[in-house]
Amino acid sequence: MDIAKLNLTELKRLLKRVEGEIERRANTAKRDVLKKVHKIVTEAGMSLEELMGDEKKPAAAKTRKPRAAAKPGRKPAARKTVGAAKFRNPAKPEQTWTGHGRKPGWVAEWLAAGKALSELEIR
């Protein structure tokens, strides 16, 4: 068959036939492999469920929505990394701040009281 001589309609029809045949053969191959595996597992005295064990459960987790495609011509946003804490709240030592981004309320209150930011630095 010389596809160069086919018109557009004939090419599209041929494409659909080829895609259908590819799908049919892939399904047949899967079915054949599944039969072979089933035979081996049955001869071993097990079921496919026993063989797969808990590995089938994570497959259900794969139902997440796909991510939206990025808009053309836009660069992906840079990932922000959180640096080491540079400031600590003396009243609540578990509260820290890296010095980047919006100031936490406790830092704003500290500065509003007229105290120096340097007093909060972690040394």
Side-chain angles (χ1 to χ4, degrees), residues 66-82:
R67 287 186 174 183
K71 293 182 181 178
R74 290 191 67 178
K75 292 182 182 178
R79 272 209 144 153
K80 295 181 181 180
T81 56
V82 178

mmCIF file of all heavy atoms in Angstrom, residues 66-82:
data_model
loop_
_atom_site.group_PDB
_atom_site.id
_atom_site.type_symbol
_atom_site.label_atom_id
_atom_site.label_comp_id
_atom_site.label_asym_id
_atom_site.label_seq_id
_atom_site.Cartn_x
_atom_site.Cartn_y
_atom_site.Cartn_z
ATOM 1 N N PRO A 66 -5.556 15.582 37.420
ATOM 2 C CA PRO A 66 -4.295 15.982 36.801
ATOM 3 C C PRO A 66 -4.091 17.478 36.973
ATOM 4 O O PRO A 66 -5.035 18.244 37.067
ATOM 5 C CB PRO A 66 -4.491 15.612 35.326
ATOM 6 C CG PRO A 66 -5.953 15.522 35.137
ATOM 7 C CD PRO A 66 -6.540 15.149 36.479
ATOM 8 N N ARG A 67 -2.845 17.868 37.018
ATOM 9 C CA ARG A 67 -2.527 19.285 37.158
ATOM 10 C C ARG A 67 -2.936 20.025 35.895
ATOM 11 O O ARG A 67 -2.858 19.496 34.794
ATOM 12 C CB ARG A 67 -1.033 19.490 37.368
ATOM 13 C CG ARG A 67 -0.579 19.092 38.715
ATOM 14 C CD ARG A 67 0.864 19.467 38.866
ATOM 15 N NE ARG A 67 1.296 19.211 40.225
ATOM 16 C CZ ARG A 67 2.481 19.495 40.662
ATOM 17 N NH1 ARG A 67 3.365 20.035 39.878
ATOM 18 N NH2 ARG A 67 2.806 19.233 41.906
ATOM 19 N N ALA A 68 -3.329 21.261 36.075
ATOM 20 C CA ALA A 68 -3.667 22.090 34.928
ATOM 21 C C ALA A 68 -2.402 22.384 34.139
ATOM 22 O O ALA A 68 -1.332 22.573 34.709
ATOM 23 C CB ALA A 68 -4.312 23.390 35.389
ATOM 24 N N ALA A 69 -2.534 22.422 32.834
ATOM 25 C CA ALA A 69 -1.381 22.681 31.987
ATOM 26 C C ALA A 69 -0.922 24.127 32.175
ATOM 27 O O ALA A 69 -1.726 25.025 32.378
ATOM 28 C CB ALA A 69 -1.740 22.439 30.526
ATOM 29 N N ALA A 70 0.376 24.305 32.123
ATOM 30 C CA ALA A 70 0.930 25.650 32.275
ATOM 31 C C ALA A 70 0.544 26.485 31.059
ATOM 32 O O ALA A 70 0.423 25.978 29.953
ATOM 33 C CB ALA A 70 2.443 25.576 32.397
ATOM 34 N N LYS A 71 0.359 27.760 31.285
ATOM 35 C CA LYS A 71 0.020 28.650 30.185
ATOM 36 C C LYS A 71 1.247 28.813 29.303
ATOM 37 O O LYS A 71 2.361 28.953 29.804
ATOM 38 C CB LYS A 71 -0.439 30.004 30.722
ATOM 39 C CG LYS A 71 -1.754 29.915 31.457
ATOM 40 C CD LYS A 71 -2.200 31.278 31.940
ATOM 41 C CE LYS A 71 -3.500 31.155 32.694
ATOM 42 N NZ LYS A 71 -3.945 32.439 33.221
ATOM 43 N N PRO A 72 1.045 28.817 28.002
ATOM 44 C CA PRO A 72 2.195 28.955 27.108
ATOM 45 C C PRO A 72 2.892 30.291 27.302
ATOM 46 O O PRO A 72 2.263 31.313 27.538
ATOM 47 C CB PRO A 72 1.590 28.863 25.700
ATOM 48 C CG PRO A 72 0.127 28.763 25.860
ATOM 49 C CD PRO A 72 -0.202 28.684 27.307
ATOM 50 N N GLY A 73 4.200 30.272 27.234
ATOM 51 C CA GLY A 73 4.980 31.490 27.346
ATOM 52 C C GLY A 73 5.257 31.931 28.775
ATOM 53 O O GLY A 73 5.893 32.942 28.999
ATOM 54 N N ARG A 74 4.771 31.181 29.752
ATOM 55 C CA ARG A 74 4.999 31.547 31.155
ATOM 56 C C ARG A 74 6.009 30.603 31.764
ATOM 57 O O ARG A 74 5.963 29.406 31.539
ATOM 58 C CB ARG A 74 3.706 31.466 31.958
ATOM 59 C CG ARG A 74 2.740 32.560 31.560
ATOM 60 C CD ARG A 74 1.610 32.633 32.516
ATOM 61 N NE ARG A 74 2.081 33.074 33.830
ATOM 62 C CZ ARG A 74 1.272 33.258 34.846
ATOM 63 N NH1 ARG A 74 -0.005 33.055 34.730
ATOM 64 N NH2 ARG A 74 1.739 33.652 36.013
ATOM 65 N N LYS A 75 6.885 31.174 32.541
ATOM 66 C CA LYS A 75 7.860 30.358 33.257
ATOM 67 C C LYS A 75 7.207 29.845 34.527
ATOM 68 O O LYS A 75 6.381 30.531 35.131
ATOM 69 C CB LYS A 75 9.085 31.190 33.630
ATOM 70 C CG LYS A 75 9.904 31.626 32.447
ATOM 71 C CD LYS A 75 11.110 32.400 32.921
ATOM 72 C CE LYS A 75 11.918 32.888 31.744
ATOM 73 N NZ LYS A 75 13.068 33.684 32.172
ATOM 74 N N PRO A 76 7.540 28.632 34.953
ATOM 75 C CA PRO A 76 6.990 28.147 36.222
ATOM 76 C C PRO A 76 7.494 28.994 37.378
ATOM 77 O O PRO A 76 8.609 29.515 37.344
ATOM 78 C CB PRO A 76 7.495 26.713 36.323
ATOM 79 C CG PRO A 76 8.587 26.594 35.335
ATOM 80 C CD PRO A 76 8.416 27.698 34.321
ATOM 81 N N ALA A 77 6.669 29.139 38.378
ATOM 82 C CA ALA A 77 7.040 29.940 39.545
ATOM 83 C C ALA A 77 8.223 29.284 40.248
ATOM 84 O O ALA A 77 8.303 28.063 40.354
ATOM 85 C CB ALA A 77 5.862 30.051 40.500
ATOM 86 N N ALA A 78 9.130 30.102 40.710
ATOM 87 C CA ALA A 78 10.291 29.588 41.436
ATOM 88 C C ALA A 78 9.831 29.092 42.800
ATOM 89 O O ALA A 78 8.981 29.689 43.429
ATOM 90 C CB ALA A 78 11.335 30.684 41.595
ATOM 91 N N ARG A 79 10.365 27.985 43.214
ATOM 92 C CA ARG A 79 10.019 27.447 44.523
ATOM 93 C C ARG A 79 10.722 28.231 45.587
ATOM 94 O O ARG A 79 11.926 28.483 45.510
ATOM 95 C CB ARG A 79 10.458 26.000 44.623
ATOM 96 C CG ARG A 79 9.419 25.053 44.134
ATOM 97 C CD ARG A 79 9.585 23.785 44.881
ATOM 98 N NE ARG A 79 8.262 23.251 45.099
ATOM 99 C CZ ARG A 79 8.019 21.994 45.245
ATOM 100 N NH1 ARG A 79 8.996 21.152 45.225
ATOM 101 N NH2 ARG A 79 6.805 21.584 45.443
ATOM 102 N N LYS A 80 9.966 28.599 46.587
ATOM 103 C CA LYS A 80 10.558 29.345 47.691
ATOM 104 C C LYS A 80 11.042 28.352 48.737
ATOM 105 O O LYS A 80 10.323 27.442 49.116
ATOM 106 C CB LYS A 80 9.530 30.287 48.310
ATOM 107 C CG LYS A 80 9.092 31.370 47.370
ATOM 108 C CD LYS A 80 8.099 32.293 48.024
ATOM 109 C CE LYS A 80 7.658 33.365 47.053
ATOM 110 N NZ LYS A 80 6.698 34.269 47.641
ATOM 111 N N THR A 81 12.267 28.536 49.147
ATOM 112 C CA THR A 81 12.798 27.679 50.191
ATOM 113 C C THR A 81 12.830 28.469 51.491
ATOM 114 O O THR A 81 13.113 29.654 51.499
ATOM 115 C CB THR A 81 14.218 27.189 49.852
ATOM 116 O OG1 THR A 81 15.042 28.320 49.629
ATOM 117 C CG2 THR A 81 14.207 26.305 48.619
ATOM 118 N N VAL A 82 12.520 27.788 52.534
ATOM 119 C CA VAL A 82 12.515 28.431 53.843
ATOM 120 C C VAL A 82 13.920 28.320 54.409
ATOM 121 O O VAL A 82 14.480 27.244 54.501
ATOM 122 C CB VAL A 82 11.498 27.745 54.783
ATOM 123 C CG1 VAL A 82 11.532 28.371 56.146
ATOM 124 C CG2 VAL A 82 10.110 27.816 54.183
#
